[in-house]
């Protein structure tokens, strides 16, 4: 069983962790991660989403924030303040080691995927974490106050300016991660994690070849909603949808991905929206999508794997926690054959 996940930071990292816990021991898990949030600070290359996924899978993520390292200290931060610098981006002392090593390896000529592989294996992470590209792609946020680099908008301005559009600078010239394309081609299940659609998933899809890879995939493509009851669980996803003139609802998320989607996982609090998703020609699974601990992550992961099983002609199983796929909740709205043709 080969599973591929598209993700940004915290939300998707939780589902990736659930999959790592729930999948059969012989299953392979490949996580394709947004790097358009990457930036340089004090000369260091920082990859927030790669690190969040890596720390989460290594079991060392800060459980309160979801990002950073559990129990980290901020003495470097205090020293910077003593120098009169007012850093708006806090980097923990342990976290700093990751950025130091990454920067050093990149400067010695390693690619971002080689660096990620080295760091993740040294932390004992088994699933394969792949940056979407080794090239430089940067999200620029077009707001009513002007253009902002992503981290400036997100961290410094706490995503308050009203957004008019998003630019994924460098995406068109970027080369997709070759291993990511191969993984998509040979996948049995492809999952779009509950991540911010504009800030985490769209930058990945903006890289030439990525969207086509999904459209041509033989595996079912399933998205898990990041929107519950019209609001984001955390972060600016719903606010962005409204500012971009889109209704902030799970149905709008399903529509956003509809051209390549076979299945959509709707939260049980939005069960009344099922017919609207089904009307798009997309299979629906309605369940509790909130991942508040290790068990709920693994349970949701297993349900998504079972759902995928029911969307393809042959049953593959693949989940250690799972009951046989047929016994699980949720009825696919489409027959067990795949059709990636546009649904809108
Ligand atoms: P980050 O978490 O801000 O780094 O960015 P992501 O790209 O991971 O986006 C987080 C998105 O996932 C937000 O829109 C949240 O609403 C959503 N999210 C976070 N945790 C959960 C969860 O447990 N369940 C669901 N369904 N969505 C979640």
């Amino acid at each position: 069983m080969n599973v591929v996940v598209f993700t940004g930071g915290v939300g998707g990292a939780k589902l990736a962790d659930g999959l790592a816990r729930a999948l059969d021991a012989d299953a392979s898990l490949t996580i394709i991660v947004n790097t358009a949030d990457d930036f340089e600070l004090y000369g260091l290359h920082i990859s927030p989403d790669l690190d969040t996924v890596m720390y989460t899978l290594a079991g060392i993520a800060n459980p309160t924030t979801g990002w950073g390292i559990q129990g980290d200290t901020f003495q470097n931060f205090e020293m910077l303040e003593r120098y009169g610098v007012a850093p708006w981006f806090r980097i923990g002392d342990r976290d700093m080691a990751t950025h130091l090593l990454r920067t050093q390896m990149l400067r010695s000529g390693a690619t971002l995927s080689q660096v990620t592989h080295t760091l993740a294996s040294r932390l004992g992470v088994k699933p394969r974490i792949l940056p979407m590209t080794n090239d430089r792609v940067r999200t620029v946020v077009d707001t009513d106050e002007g253009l902002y680099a992503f981290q400036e908008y997100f961290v410094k301005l706490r995503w308050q300016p009203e957004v008019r559009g998003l630019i994924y600078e460098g995406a068109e010239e970027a080369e997709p991660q070759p291993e990511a394309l191969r993984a998509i081609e040979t996948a049995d299940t492809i999952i779009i994690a509950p991540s911010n659609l504009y800030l985490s998933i769209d930058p990945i899809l903006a890289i030439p070849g990525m969207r086509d890879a999904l459209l041509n995939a033989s595996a079912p493509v399933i998205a898990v909603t990041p929107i519950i009851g019209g609001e984001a669980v955390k972060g600016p996803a719903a606010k962005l949808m409204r500012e971009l003139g889109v209704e902030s609802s799970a149905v709008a998320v399903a529509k956003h991905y509809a051209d390549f989607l076979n299945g959509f996982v709707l939260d049980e609090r939005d069960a009344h929206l099922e017919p609207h998703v089904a009307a798009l020609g997309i299979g629906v699974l309605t369940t509790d999508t909130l991942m508040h601990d290790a068990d709920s992550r693994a349970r949701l992961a297993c349900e998504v794997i079972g759902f995928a099983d029911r969307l393809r002609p042959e049953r593959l199983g693949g989940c250690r926690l799972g009951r046989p796929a047929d016994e699980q909740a949720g009825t696919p709205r489409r027959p067990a054959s795949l059709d990636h043709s546009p649904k809108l």
Side-chain angles (χ1 to χ4, degrees):
M1 157 75 70
N2 298 321
V3 179
V4 170
V5 184
F6 279 53
T7 184
V10 181
K14 289 191 284 183
L15 186 62
D17 181 53
L19 286 161
R21 291 167 187 276
L23 285 171
D24 285 346
D26 61 354
S28 93
L29 176 58
T30 300
I31 306 157
I32 303 173
V33 183
N34 168 45
T35 56
D37 299 1
D38 287 19
F39 68 117
E40 297 232 321
L41 194 63
Y42 313 118
L44 301 177
H45 181 113
I46 302 180
S47 299
D49 286 352
L50 282 174
D51 288 346
T52 296
V53 171
M54 182 172 79
Y55 295 156
T56 303
L57 291 172
I60 60 169
N62 180 333
T64 313
T65 55
W67 48 266
I69 296 177
Q70 180 163 31
D72 213 347
T73 52
F74 289 85
Q75 294 192 18
N76 74 72
F77 184 74
E78 287 160 23
M79 194 64 188
L80 282 167
E81 283 187 317
R82 207 166 146 191
Y83 280 123
V85 179
W88 50 269
F89 194 91
R90 284 164 62 99
I91 300 172
D93 298 321
R94 292 179 194 163
D95 193 17
M96 182 75 84
T98 307
H99 312 316
L100 290 172
L101 270 183
R102 173 184 293 117
T103 307
Q104 187 198 37
M105 287 191 256
L106 287 173
R107 295 220 175 120
S108 326
T111 63
L112 189 57
S113 63
Q114 287 166 340
V115 174
T116 305
H117 175 73
T118 304
L119 296 176
S121 3
R122 294 203 184 152
L123 289 180
V125 173
K126 297 275 177 330
R128 185 162 56 149
I129 305 175
L130 295 177
M132 62 186 195
T133 178
N134 289 327
D135 298 329
R136 190 181 192 282
V137 180
R138 296 290 179 265
T139 297
V140 176
V141 188
D142 183 5
T143 77
D144 56 345
E145 298 171 15
L147 295 176
Y148 288 112
F150 174 75
Q151 294 297 344
E152 219 178 335
Y153 159 80
F154 195 75
V155 179
K156 198 172 183 178
L157 302 170
R158 297 165 198 268
W159 40 276
Q160 287 316 300
E162 194 168 313
V163 173
R164 295 191 292 220
L166 294 148
I167 302 151
Y168 309 118
E169 215 175 69
E172 272 174 34
E173 300 80 42
E175 201 183 309
Q177 195 65 251
E179 291 163 276
L181 293 183
R182 270 197 301 278
I184 295 167
E185 212 179 291
T186 55
D188 299 303
T189 300
I190 301 169
I191 302 168
I192 312 293
S195 291
N196 189 306
L197 43 170
Y198 305 111
L199 299 176
S200 295
I201 303 299
D202 278 2
I204 309 180
L205 298 175
I207 297 179
M210 282 291 188
R211 181 178 282 275
D212 281 347
L214 287 183
L215 286 166
N216 298 325
S218 56
V221 183
I222 293 172
V224 179
T225 187
I227 300 289
I228 302 178
E231 292 300 333
V233 177
K234 70 179 255 307
K239 179 175 181 278
L240 274 173
M241 291 175 91
R242 290 190 288 265
E243 289 170 356
L244 294 172
V246 179
E247 178 193 67
S248 71
S249 75
V251 179
V253 178
K255 271 189 196 159
H256 190 77
Y257 297 136
D259 57 342
F260 55 73
L261 218 56
N262 302 101
F264 188 75
V265 182
L266 191 63
D267 191 86
E268 59 189 13
R269 295 152 195 87
D270 285 330
H272 60 285
L273 298 177
E274 253 192 48
H276 300 279
V277 179
L280 301 169
I282 297 169
V284 193
L285 169 72
T286 304
T287 188
D288 182 4
T289 67
L290 270 184
M291 297 171 280
H292 39 77
D293 57 18
D295 285 348
S296 50
R297 292 174 185 184
R299 181 207 32 86
L300 179 60
C302 250
E303 286 194 48
V304 175
I305 293 297
F307 181 38
D309 232 11
R310 281 168 287 140
L311 287 172
R312 70 175 140 248
E314 79 282 27
R315 299 281 193 269
L316 298 174
C319 185
R320 329 179 212 199
L321 304 178
R323 289 164 283 151
D326 287 335
E327 290 173 22
Q328 291 183 10
T331 315
R333 291 289 183 272
R334 270 199 300 156
S337 68
L338 294 184
D339 173 12
H340 286 281
S341 56
K343 324 243 167 21
L344 286 181

